Amino acid sequence: MESLLDSEGDRRRRRTRTSVLDAAEVLFTERGYRETSVEDLAKAADVAVTSVYGNFPGGKAEVYAVLGCRTARDHAARMSDVVDAAPDGAAAARAALIEYIRFHRDYPLAFRLLGLTDIADTASRGKSSGADVARRARAEVAVRLGGVVDHVVRRVSGTPADEADVRTDVLLAWATVNGVLSLLQQNLIDAKTADDLLAAAVETSLSRLTQTDRSGNATR
């Protein structure tokens, strides 16, 4: 799959794209997507406005979409590292959950970026270039995150026959964490309550992920 992160051109072009994406991550986190203009991005990245459009023809929405893909790539890499380093399936399950939460704590914008929340309506706008980029980004993020799920499931499962149940448990665990993160972002709970809920979610999920299989053998 061709990634939106792939960039043709010289080192200077790649450096400009990286600078714009880095600036966007900071500004979108601090101000929000709608309160950030292309001019703001250009100023923060120390490039001309024309350079922003030259590298991201779809403007601010395309910057957001590509940043979402970069976030998914980095998320997948971090998850892969901790899961591969775990000595067994139970440790891999714990490491995956803890890293999932840690990543979102390190990158507060990640929850919105991975869901492409702020450009959700762009993908439905017919055949415009912006809509095409948004759809491509959504597909790329889905593939990368789906790969993370597959990796965790394979690592945690005791046998291939066990994978379907493990997949359900992994997705349920992440859905629970996402729910807590959503409540926190909406200011419906405070940070202390979120920490308590996340800790409870980890332990409850691990009790399912590390349960014995139907034959009574501890496989996870």
Side-chain angles (χ1 to χ4, degrees), residues 5 7-20 47 55:
L5 294 169
S7 174
E8 298 181 357
D10 57 19
R11 182 180 301 176
R12 181 178 180 181
R13 178 179 174 84
R14 292 193 296 273
R15 185 166 58 243
T16 297
R17 283 175 61 87
T18 298
S19 296
V20 173
V47 301
N55 285 275

Side-chain angles (χ1 to χ4, degrees), residues 80-92:
S80 179
D81 287 345
V82 299
V83 169
D84 285 341
D88 54 43

Side-chain angles (χ1 to χ4, degrees), residues 111-204:
F111 189 71
R112 297 184 68 83
L113 282 171
L114 294 175
L116 299 174
T117 304
D118 293 297
I119 59 169
D121 59 339
T122 303
S124 62
R125 293 178 182 172
K127 298 181 179 180
S128 68
S129 60
D132 180 62
V133 169
R135 285 191 290 267
R136 287 177 58 195
R138 190 172 301 283
E140 181 171 343
V141 169
V143 169
R144 290 187 184 276
L145 297 187
V148 172
V149 173
D150 291 342
H151 189 184
V152 174
V153 168
R154 287 193 299 269
R155 189 70 175 82
V156 175
S157 298
T159 65
D162 199 35
E163 288 188 4
D165 288 340
V166 172
R167 181 177 298 275
T168 296
D169 290 341
V170 167
L171 291 175
L172 181 60
W174 289 0
T176 303
V177 170
N178 286 346
V180 175
L181 293 172
S182 179
L183 290 174
L184 180 61
Q185 289 204 350
Q186 295 175 59
N187 295 316
L188 296 177
I189 57 176
D190 58 24
K192 174 62 168 58
T193 301
D195 286 340
D196 291 343
L197 289 174
L198 289 171
V202 168
E203 296 310 317
T204 299

